[in-house]
């Protein structure tokens, strides 16, 4: 059934209070609910799926109605009334990991978006907000739910939608901390883990405390309960969930110590802890009216976590990483059959819309808004948002109105960013005449949008003659003029000020050497590398100006993290996307060969500098500066491996005392085809560690020249387990991420992925649907590959009993 934004109607009833009692049992959990409804219409519809109804009463009188497949319709009094029900569910058989389920003997929940209806009958929609009181009956020692602990259970005084409900029960231990809020309240902080994992919680606890402090200092937002609980769970469909006062995390985004987690893992843990914590205000206190408004909480919360990570680390490096991700995932989505607006208008299964467009483009839109209204305007608008809408379920219209009221700006045109799909293209023409420099910008793709273009001008010697200025492009074509004594060099779209494709003739080598904006300096290097790669694919040699420019930057004195990013060659999928956009059909094998040839040439060009860049390992500390030095060291080690056959990397592997070095050296060895022994050693050392072993599976496939063969072997490994989403993704997503391997000319990569999606679908449709998006790029490739990819999508669609999740995805992709 298609759900449409245009069909929204307010709820027929308001819930005043919810009382829940859980009698936990692996196959026969009883859920007893008592829901007080305010006076409303004569008919009440409650959602409910896969529930065995034991009994139900309205104001104490047994009901006559029977539930259907998706819920229960009741005749109810027009005055306030109480609905009571007892239902039975089976958490241990719940492999979809939505609703109440079991993971390693522990009970946990995932309700967003529509999982609560698998727990009990309820108006399971985000605009029904109510206070909850919960009792849990079980022999397990730790019993948690939302809110504050009270006699015999949990009480959450803050009205919340059902998607934020959570329950956890298990044999868990707490890593404890505390935080004193800005108004002097003491908050108990707990990270709950399985016994044995206590020594991996320190970093997450620190990240939580930094997040709480930052939200007070930057947004003036204080935490509002006496306790904040985080639980680490091994079986989880995504990264983490912001349930009120009880965040549930995929264990790989909480548990970390230097021996088991890489610097990237630490950075991601800090970002996700912050993201879920920030939801307490942007998502929980102010939530979404309906699921079409998902970007209201997700775009804003991603924007906030990006700001936070930039403040904790380096803004330039964070921006580059975010844009790499945006282009790899969101631009890809926007250019294919899965394209949709930041605020979609229709869906079959809402879980399919937790996308890069809603999250990452949703965050970009807020970044543009902030640029347009300025930092002060943004701060005023956010204060107004929290004041005006606390406790409400809101829409994008509410959000934009707050900005209009706080700043006096009309945002009717800006709103198109929310309602239109696709990546706008901005074409740039330059002219210089009579002491005047003219920049003509034209925009294509959809109706004209408000596009903030951050511009700087450089002189011929690289000096900045115009510091960064934000131009507002609102018309289809617009010319901006600047007095200039000599023809300047433009640095356009600084900091990636808008999520657009820029079309402009640029001297990348000059900008790589001189741009004063670090993002654009990196961007110039990347654009140049892509130009070179396109040349190599077409038979040209690796260009010396690229090698020289990159060598100068990498051996210079910029931030090591920045230099490490500059050394990272454009990925194969990224290159395929760029070729396709420029009208060339990408050949995956040629892309791989060209990329290898460039790495080889770069290694040779830097031969004399590599050992200085590699340096020697430092005793591990989590600070970002050191992580940057380590990233540069590993990037150089990877180049050296192409010259010494992995000799230095093998030494680094043997000496490694932290996971960044250990996994980094293993990747170097695998990349040059000499990693088999190290992989065996790694397996012997880590086979009892789920989180670390996921890396072992992934690295071997990512760095293989025969990804299909390697995947085929690894799915036979005794530790491969398709019921665990992390393990399944570690193997099957790695296959899809090995570009040349997945796109093998005989179609074996496509078949293997489809086989596993078809197998996973009945077990865990949400994860299967999410991973099917690997097929969304079919239109980029040659006719044979297109046909083979579409054949697999049709084969998936023809599978009997296919889930609504996967059916919607495959259907959208194959058209
Ligand atoms: N809000 C959750 C995502 C829920 C996904 C449901 N399919 C995590 C987050 O964005 O913080
Ligand atoms: Zn979120």
């Amino acid at each position: 059934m298609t759900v449409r934004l245009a069909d929204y109607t307010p709820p027929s009833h308001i819930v005043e209070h919810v009382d829940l009692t859980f009698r936990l049992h692996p196959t026969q959990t009883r859920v007893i609910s008592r829901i007080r409804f305010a006076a409303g219409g004569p008919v009440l519809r409650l959602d409910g799926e896969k529930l065995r109804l034991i009994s139900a009463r309205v104001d104490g009188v047994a009901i006559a109605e029977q539930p259907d497949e998706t819920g229960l319709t009741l005749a109810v009094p027009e005055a306030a009334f109480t609905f009571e029900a007892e239902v039975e569910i089976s958490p241990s058989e719940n492999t979809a990991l939505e609703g109440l389920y079991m993971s390693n003997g522990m009970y946990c929940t995932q309700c967003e978006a529509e999982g609560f209806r698998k727990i009990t009958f309820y108006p399971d929609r985000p605009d029904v907000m109510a206070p909850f009181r919960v009792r849990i009956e079980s022999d397990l020692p730790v019993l948690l739910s939302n809110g504050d602990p009270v006699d015999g259970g949990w009480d959450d005084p803050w009205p919340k939608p059902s998607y934020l409900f959570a329950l956890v029960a298990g044999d868990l231990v707490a890593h404890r901390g505390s935080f004193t809020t800005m108004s002097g309240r003491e908050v108990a902080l707990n990270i709950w883990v399985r016994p044995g994992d206590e020594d991996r919680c320190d970093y997450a606890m620190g990240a939580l405390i930094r997040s709480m402090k930052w939200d007070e200092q930057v947004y003036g937002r204080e935490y509002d309960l006496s306790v904040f609980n985080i639980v680490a769970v091994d079986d989880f469909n995504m990264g983490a969930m912001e349930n009120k006062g009880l965040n549930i995390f995929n264990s790989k985004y909480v548990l970390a110590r230097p021996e088991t987690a890489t610097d990237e893992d630490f950075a991601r843990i800090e970002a996700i802890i912050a993201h879920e914590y920030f939801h307490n205000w942007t998502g929980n206190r102010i939530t979404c009216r309906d699921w079409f408004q998902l970007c209201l909480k997700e775009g804003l919360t991603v924007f906030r976590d990006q700001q936070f990570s930039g403040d904790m680390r380096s803004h330039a490096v964070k921006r580059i990483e975010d844009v790499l991700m945006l282009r790899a995932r969101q631009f890809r989505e926007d250019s294919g059959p899965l394209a949709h607006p930041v605020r979609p208008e229709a869906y079959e299964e809402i879980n399919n819309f937790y996308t890069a467009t809603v999250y990452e483009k949703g965050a970009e839109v807020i970044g543009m808004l902030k640029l347009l209204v300025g930092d002060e305007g943004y701060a005023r608008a956010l204060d107004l948002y929290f004041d005006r809408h606390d406790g409400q379920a809101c829409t994008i219209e509410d959000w934009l109105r707050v900005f209009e009221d706080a700043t006096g700006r009309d945002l009717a045109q800006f709103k198109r960013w929310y309602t239109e799909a696709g990546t706008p293209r901005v074409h740039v023409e330059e002219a210089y005449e009579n002491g005047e420099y003219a920049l003509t910008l034209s925009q294509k793709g959809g109706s004209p949008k408000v596009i903030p273009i951050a511009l700087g001008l450089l002189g011929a010697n690289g000096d900045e003659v115009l510091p960064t200025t934000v131009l507002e492009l609102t018309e289809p074509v617009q010319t901006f003029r600047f007095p200039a004594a000599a023809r300047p060099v433009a640095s356009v779209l600084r900091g990636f000020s808008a999520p657009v494709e820029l079309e402009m003739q640029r001297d990348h080598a000059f900008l790589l050497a001189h741009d004063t904006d670090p993002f654009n300096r990196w961007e110039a290097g990347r654009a140049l590398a892509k130009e070179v790669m396109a040349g190599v694919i077409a038979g040209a040699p690796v260009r010396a100006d690229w090698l020289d420019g990159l060598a100068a930057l990498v051996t210079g004195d910029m931030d090591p993290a920045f230099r490490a990013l500059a050394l990272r060659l454009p990925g194969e999928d990224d290159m395929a996307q760029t070729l396709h956009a420029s009208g060339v059909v990408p050949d995956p094998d040629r892309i791989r060969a060209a990329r290898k040839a460039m790495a080889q040439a770069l290694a040779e060009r830097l031969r004399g500098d590599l050992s200085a860049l590699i340096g020697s390992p430092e005793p591990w500390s989590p600070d970002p500066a050191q992580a940057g030095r380590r990233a540069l060291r590993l990037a150089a080690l990877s180049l050296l491996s192409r010259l010494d056959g992995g000799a230095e990397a093998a030494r680094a592997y043997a000496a490694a005392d932290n996971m960044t070095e250990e996994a980094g050296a293993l990747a170097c060895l695998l990349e040059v085809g000499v990693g088999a022994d190290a992989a065996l050693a790694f397996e012997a050392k880590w086979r009892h560690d789920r989180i670390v072993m996921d890396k072992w599976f992934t690295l071997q496939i990512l760095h293989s020249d025969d990804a299909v063969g390697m995947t085929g072997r690894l799915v036979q490994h005794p530790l491969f387990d398709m019921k665990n989403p992390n393990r399944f993704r570690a193997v099957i997503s790695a296959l899809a991420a090995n570009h040349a391997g997945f796109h093998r000319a005989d179609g074996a990569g496509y078949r293997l992925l489809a086989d596993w999606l078809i197998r996973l679908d009945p077990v865990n449709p949400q994860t299967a649907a999410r991973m099917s998006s690997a097929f969304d790029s079919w239109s980029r490739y040659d006719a044979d590959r297109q046909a083979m990819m579409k054949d697999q999508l049709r084969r998936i669609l023809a599978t009997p009993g296919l889930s609504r999740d996967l059916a919607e995805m495959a259907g959208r992709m194959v058209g």
Side-chain angles (χ1 to χ4, degrees), residues 432-437 457-460 465 482-488:
Y432 179 71
E433 233 177 17
N434 305 329
E436 189 184 73
Y437 172 74
L457 296 178
L458 304 171
V465 297
F482 306 88
R487 187 187 182 95

Side-chain angles (χ1 to χ4, degrees), residues 361 364-373 400 404 409-420 424 426 441 443-454 470-476 478 480 493 497-500:
K361 190 175 177 183
E364 291 300 315
V365 171
I366 293 173
M368 288 190 285
L369 202 47
K370 181 160 177 283
L371 263 188
L372 293 170
V373 302
L400 290 175
E404 293 186 325
R409 205 183 155 108
D410 178 351
L411 293 171
Q413 187 186 6
F414 186 82
K415 189 177 173 187
R416 292 173 185 164
W417 282 108
Y418 284 100
T419 56
E420 288 182 24
V426 173
L441 306 176
Q443 53 168 314
K444 292 191 212 94
S447 51
K449 306 205 170 42
V450 187
I451 307 182
I453 307 273
V470 178
L471 312 178
E472 286 184 27
L473 176 62
T474 54
E475 305 295 320
Q478 235 169 308
F480 298 87
L493 206 65
S497 57
V500 300

Side-chain angles (χ1 to χ4, degrees), residues 112 240-242 275-276 279 297-298 351 354 359 766:
E112 189 177 358
M241 178 65 210
E242 70 264 24
H275 179 98
E276 306 310 335
H279 268 314
K297 73 177 177 82
E298 295 305 346
N351 282 325
Y354 287 73
Y359 276 64
Q766 215 181 105

